[in-house]
Amino acid sequence: MQRRGLAASGQPPGEPGPGSAELWEQEMERLCASRVPVRALPYPMEDKRVIWWLRVPDGEQPSCWERWLRKRQMERRRLRDSVQRLARGFGLWEAALYEIGGLFGTGIQSYFTFLRFLLLLNLLTFLLTASFVLLPLVWLHPPVPGPALNLTLQCPGSDQPPAGLQRFHNQFWNILTGRAFNNTYLFYGAYRAGPETSSAYSVRLAYLLSPLFCLLLCFCGTLRRMVKGLPQKPFLGRGHRRALSTKVFSSWDFCIHVPEAAFLKKREISKEFKVELEEQQRFEQVQQQTGAQRAYHLLTYLRVNLLIGLLVAGAISAIFWATKYSQDNKEEELFLLLQYLPPGVIAMVNFLGPLLFVFLVQLENLPPNTEVNVILIWCVVLKLTSLGMFSFSLGQTVLCLGRNTTSCESYSYNACDYQCWENSVGEEFYKLSIFNFLLMVAFTFLVTLPRRLLVDRLSGQFWAWLDREEFLVPKNVLDIVAGQTVTWMGLFYCPLLPLLNTIFIFLTFYIKKYTLLKNSRTSPRLFRASSSTFFFQLVLLLGLLLAVLPLGYVVTSIHSSWDCGLFGAYSAPWQVVPELVALHLPLVGQRTLHYLSSNAFSFPLLLLLSLVLTACVSQAKANAQAIQELRKQLLWQVKDKWHLVEDLSRLLSKSGPIDSPEPESPRPRASRPRSFCPGFPCPGSPGPRSPWLGSSLGHPAGMHSHSPGPHGSPVPVCRFRYPSTVEP
């Protein structure tokens, strides 16, 4: 008790001694007996130190070992915090993302964050491919010659290009078409290895599983990011929206002292308020619609979608015939033009399609949210189906899909025109990736920049109507998703394509940032970062699915080229897996894998997954019910607190005059039920307290009471104060 007496002797100046000492003892007894961690107490740091010191039992001092451990823990915690702050400071584009978010809102910031995410995915994919394929291949020095192609078939014509074609094949055109890198590790044909043995590292297995593992890793990362950005409001409902007044009073960060940071924070809060008000206005408009208006909007919606569907079908047909014509006439004199005909048609379709979609949708006067959703959905369909049709047309030309087989196509591919067909397909994806990036650069500096210069320097009604280009986040996201889908589709044929795409994304970030800050105007349609992030990841997952399907078909069903690559001696690349299993695994392991791939394992696994899904659904329903009960309990706790305030005010008014007015309840007094325990805390509240003491840690600030003293004179009962509240 010596320490308590010393602590109690530290009286705040101007406070009566006996009342303060008595309150001090009571509070210290309660705090010392409580098991609440000091860190969780709502007190200043100085008061927490006093409470922690008082909780140590009398006569007990921590040993040297305990003090040393506590000191090391504090040092490790401080070091971890410093490392995290340093990592955030050196993070890629952190300052640029903060500036964009403050100036243009979190919706546009989410696009640049999405660029950084794709950059990390491509860099990780390249590192995995280099670690498991390139480095072992260079270290093992495999034999260069491979199996020769035995062309004993009747092939029409000669496979030699015309002599006049050589003048077009300078080094620049070869770089654009990818033929300059045919003998490098950029394409599939340069990867060669000797026969499989029981001891050597299997480069074939690594080359086969690396794309599949990279796609699986990208799927997990995208799914995790999509779940993290999943908007919670559709699941909570309209009845649990946070009030706008909460954002008004809790949005500001009082740690900001720099004027530039304060300006960015003000802009960010302003964007959030605009988004909130726009969502509320849209909801009210939907609620005010009549049945006839809803039926009219439904018919209009169907008519618009029918017209757009016909346009998409025409665009897909144009891509198919352009790819077929380019492959059938690839050795003509107009070599470069024909080589870039499919990418050019795809780019034209993806450029004109969204413009026509916007024009058709705006003619029908749809609601703003329906208009945006229709445009976005059809843009996604157009971009992904165009890539799908491009892949199918390549398969029909190179792999003879859907065509009558002839003597030249007995190996499941066109052996006369495409002796190393993997390189030819890889060149197509390489050209498509190069063309998309060059088109983005050309459009930025040859269209957007001159448009901004003309609009800023010339005056007139036409230039005021033209204005700067609008920075549309969904359109830019769809463009970058289309480029990433091309990279995933060409991962097997062009293993180093992720490195090329990493460079393109790195340059795209700065080009788009320049376009946003200098050449463009922001869209008046604001949206949340959470909903946009979810949409971006959903589109990315669709692109990943589009890349996995043709890759799985090629790996499991198509014969590889005979004169290049790693799988020329196999009927399909996947056949190397059973061979290596027979070489490296013992008989028990082989039987285990055979059982895992059989129906005897599939049916129990399906039954187990059904039980797990049932348990998850049941748990989700139980959680939803518990959440509803907790919300009701929270409302009752708020009502109980107002009952306690009323009872306390009534008792204080009976004992004497009060210094401060009675707090007003948000609801009328007559509309609230009476307390079952007037003057005392309700069951479940922390510890019994004497309401006539007038002040404790739970009482409102500024509330004092006067209790009668020994001679009938009112003696003010003072509130307890910690050392941090003592005025100097």
Side-chain angles (χ1 to χ4, degrees):
M1 297 299 293
Q2 183 179 0
R3 287 179 301 165
R4 298 185 183 181
L6 292 174
S9 62
Q11 301 290 345
E15 296 285 351
S20 297
E22 182 180 358
L23 287 177
W24 176 269
E25 292 292 339
Q26 293 177 359
E27 290 296 330
M28 288 304 101
E29 290 290 343
R30 187 180 65 84
L31 290 175
C32 291
S34 175
R35 295 185 178 181
V36 179
V38 179
R39 185 183 302 177
L41 295 176
Y43 301 120
M45 185 59 67
E46 184 179 357
D47 300 340
K48 289 183 179 180
R49 292 193 184 99
V50 174
I51 296 171
W52 175 81
W53 180 61
L54 293 174
R55 281 189 176 183
V56 179
D58 295 335
E60 293 186 9
Q61 293 294 335
S63 62
C64 297
W65 175 253
E66 293 177 350
R67 290 197 300 268
W68 184 83
L69 286 179
R70 190 179 297 116
K71 188 175 182 180
R72 297 288 83 79
Q73 291 177 357
M74 294 179 62
E75 291 177 355
R76 284 196 300 268
R77 189 183 303 115
R78 292 172 182 173
L79 180 62
R80 184 175 64 253
D81 295 340
S82 301
V83 170
Q84 291 178 355
R85 288 194 298 268
L86 186 64
R88 287 194 298 267
F90 283 95
L92 184 62
W93 301 326
E94 285 291 340
L97 291 175
Y98 182 78
E99 179 185 4
I100 293 171
L103 292 176
F104 303 100
T106 57
I108 294 181
Q109 183 190 20
S110 62
Y111 165 71
F112 292 91
T113 307
F114 184 66
L115 279 178
R116 183 174 65 177
F117 173 70
L118 291 182
L119 176 67
L120 296 178
L121 279 185
N122 284 275
L123 186 60
L124 183 60
T125 303
F126 165 71
L127 292 178
L128 289 175
T129 304
S131 301
F132 292 101
V133 179
L134 285 179
L135 293 181
L137 192 62
V138 174
W139 179 263
L140 295 176
H141 296 287
V144 175
L149 179 65
N150 185 16
L151 282 178
T152 60
L153 307 173
Q154 299 296 328
C155 295
S158 174
D159 56 352
Q160 297 295 330
L165 188 64
Q166 297 296 328
R167 67 176 183 267
F168 291 93
H169 282 188
N170 55 42
Q171 192 65 21
F172 178 72
W173 303 133
N174 287 338
I175 291 176
L176 288 180
T177 58
R179 291 195 173 184
F181 308 105
N182 265 338
N183 297 323
T184 63
Y185 286 126
L186 180 62
F187 293 106
Y188 165 85
Y191 294 83
R192 299 181 184 273
E196 294 294 338
T197 62
S198 59
S199 59
Y201 178 82
S202 178
V203 180
R204 289 186 177 87
L205 184 63
Y207 188 92
L208 179 63
L209 296 183
S210 292
L212 302 179
F213 181 74
C214 292
L215 292 177
L216 179 61
L217 187 64
C218 293
F219 172 77
C220 295
T222 305
L223 186 63
R224 177 181 177 274
R225 188 176 175 86
M226 184 178 69
V227 173
K228 185 178 179 181
L230 186 67
Q232 302 296 329
K233 287 188 176 182
F235 300 97
L236 294 178
R238 301 287 304 184
H240 299 92
R241 292 174 58 91
R242 190 168 59 171
L244 187 61
S245 59
T246 306
K247 291 187 177 183
V248 172
F249 293 104
S250 63
S251 296
W252 184 254
D253 187 0
F254 290 93
C255 297
I256 295 178
H257 300 286
V258 182
E260 291 81 4
F263 173 75
L264 294 177
K265 189 65 177 179
K266 290 178 182 178
R267 293 289 299 270
E268 180 181 354
I269 296 174
S270 175
K271 297 290 184 181
E272 289 291 332
F273 288 163
K274 290 180 181 179
V275 171
E276 188 73 25
L277 294 175
E278 186 174 357
E279 288 183 353
Q280 184 66 27
Q281 182 180 7
R282 290 178 182 177
F283 178 75
E284 292 178 356
Q285 291 177 355
V286 172
Q287 294 295 324
Q288 294 175 359
Q289 290 181 355
T290 61
Q293 291 176 345
R294 293 179 181 177
Y296 173 76
H297 286 307
L298 179 60
L299 293 176
T300 304
Y301 179 78
L302 294 177
R303 180 174 57 186
V304 169
N305 283 274
L306 180 61
L307 292 176
I308 295 178
L310 294 177
L311 290 177
V312 171
I316 292 174
S317 301
I319 293 172
F320 173 77
W321 290 111
T323 306
K324 183 175 175 30
Y325 183 79
S326 174
Q327 294 298 320
D328 293 341
N329 302 275
K330 61 180 181 138
E331 300 298 343
E332 298 293 335
E333 292 190 358
L334 296 177
F335 174 73
L336 185 64
L337 180 61
L338 293 179
Q339 287 293 306
Y340 273 89
L341 180 61
V345 173
I346 292 176
M348 183 180 65
V349 165
N350 291 331
F351 175 74
L352 296 178
L355 297 180
L356 293 177
F357 297 165
V358 172
F359 177 74
L360 292 176
V361 171
Q362 289 180 351
L363 286 179
E364 302 296 341
N365 295 324
L366 295 176
N369 53 346
T370 307
E371 177 182 333
V372 172
N373 294 334
V374 169
I375 294 174
L376 289 181
I377 291 174
W378 279 111
C379 288
V380 171
V381 172
L382 178 63
K383 287 186 177 292
L384 296 184
T385 52
S386 62
L387 291 178
M389 180 54 65
F390 175 71
S391 301
F392 176 75
S393 59
L394 278 180
Q396 192 179 44
T397 305
V398 178
L399 303 178
C400 310
L401 298 177
R403 295 169 58 182
N404 295 326
T405 59
T406 63
S407 59
C408 291
E409 300 156 359
S410 58
Y411 297 109
S412 300
Y413 68 96
N414 194 338
C416 294
D417 297 333
Y418 304 95
Q419 296 183 8
C420 188
W421 66 267
E422 289 89 353
N423 277 16
S424 301
V425 176
E427 288 175 8
E428 295 298 327
F429 289 115
Y430 171 84
K431 288 183 291 186
L432 194 57
S433 181
I434 290 284
F435 187 81
N436 289 338
F437 177 73
L438 293 180
L439 184 65
M440 186 268 299
V441 175
F443 192 82
T444 300
F445 294 102
L446 299 181
V447 177
T448 306
L449 179 60
R451 178 178 176 178
R452 190 260 299 179
L453 294 177
L454 292 175
V455 168
D456 291 348
R457 297 184 180 182
L458 299 179
S459 60
Q461 186 177 1
F462 172 76
W463 302 109
W465 170 81
L466 182 62
D467 203 358
R468 296 187 178 188
E469 182 189 3
E470 184 177 343
F471 191 87
L472 299 175
V473 174
K475 177 182 178 300
N476 289 279
V477 167
L478 293 178
D479 292 338
I480 198 66
V481 167
Q484 184 63 40
T485 305
V486 170
T487 302
W488 283 335
M489 295 175 72
L491 197 58
F492 181 78
Y493 318 100
C494 189
L496 298 186
L497 194 58
L499 176 62
L500 187 65
N501 197 36
T502 300
I503 300 174
F504 289 163
I505 292 176
F506 184 82
L507 298 177
T508 301
F509 182 91
Y510 292 100
I511 294 175
K512 290 298 182 180
K513 179 185 175 184
Y514 171 78
T515 303
L516 176 65
L517 296 178
K518 301 296 184 181
N519 301 333
S520 302
R521 58 184 175 91
T522 58
S523 174
R525 299 182 183 275
L526 300 176
F527 51 92
R528 296 187 179 277
S530 58
S531 58
S532 60
T533 302
F534 175 77
F535 174 75
F536 299 163
Q537 307 306 321
L538 180 60
V539 176
L540 192 61
L541 280 182
L542 295 178
L544 182 62
L545 180 62
L546 180 63
V548 167
L549 293 179
L551 178 60
Y553 176 74
V554 168
V555 167
T556 57
S557 304
I558 301 299
H559 198 294
S560 300
S561 300
W562 284 87
D563 64 338
C564 67
L566 296 170
F567 306 100
Y570 298 90
S571 59
W574 188 255
Q575 294 300 321
V576 71
V577 177
E579 179 182 353
L580 291 175
V581 167
L583 284 175
H584 292 276
L585 285 183
L587 185 59
V588 178
Q590 296 180 28
R591 291 179 178 176
T592 303
L593 289 179
H594 179 71
Y595 173 73
L596 293 178
S597 60
S598 63
N599 294 332
F601 176 76
S602 301
F603 288 112
L605 180 61
L606 182 61
L607 181 60
L608 179 61
L609 291 178
S610 302
L611 294 177
V612 171
L613 180 62
T614 304
C616 291
V617 171
S618 302
Q619 184 65 36
K621 292 183 178 179
N623 292 339
Q625 185 177 1
I627 290 173
Q628 295 294 334
E629 293 178 356
L630 289 174
R631 285 170 178 163
K632 294 179 181 179
Q633 184 178 357
L634 182 61
L635 294 177
W636 280 107
Q637 287 181 357
V638 173
K639 294 179 181 179
D640 290 341
K641 288 181 180 180
W642 282 110
H643 296 336
L644 293 176
V645 171
E646 287 183 351
D647 297 338
L648 178 61
S649 303
R650 186 177 65 256
L651 292 175
L652 292 177
S653 62
K654 292 180 180 179
S655 60
I658 58 176
D659 296 337
S660 60
E662 180 181 355
E664 293 293 335
S665 172
R667 297 174 56 189
R669 183 184 181 93
S671 63
R672 294 191 301 270
R674 304 295 300 175
S675 174
F676 293 99
C677 44
F680 298 94
C682 292
S685 59
R689 299 184 186 178
S690 301
W692 49 83
L693 291 178
S695 65
S696 64
L697 294 177
H699 289 177
M703 184 177 293
H704 300 272
S705 63
H706 296 267
S707 57
H711 302 286
S713 60
V715 177
V717 179
C718 303
R719 292 186 305 157
F720 164 71
R721 291 189 180 183
Y722 280 107
S724 61
T725 59
V726 178
E727 299 179 359

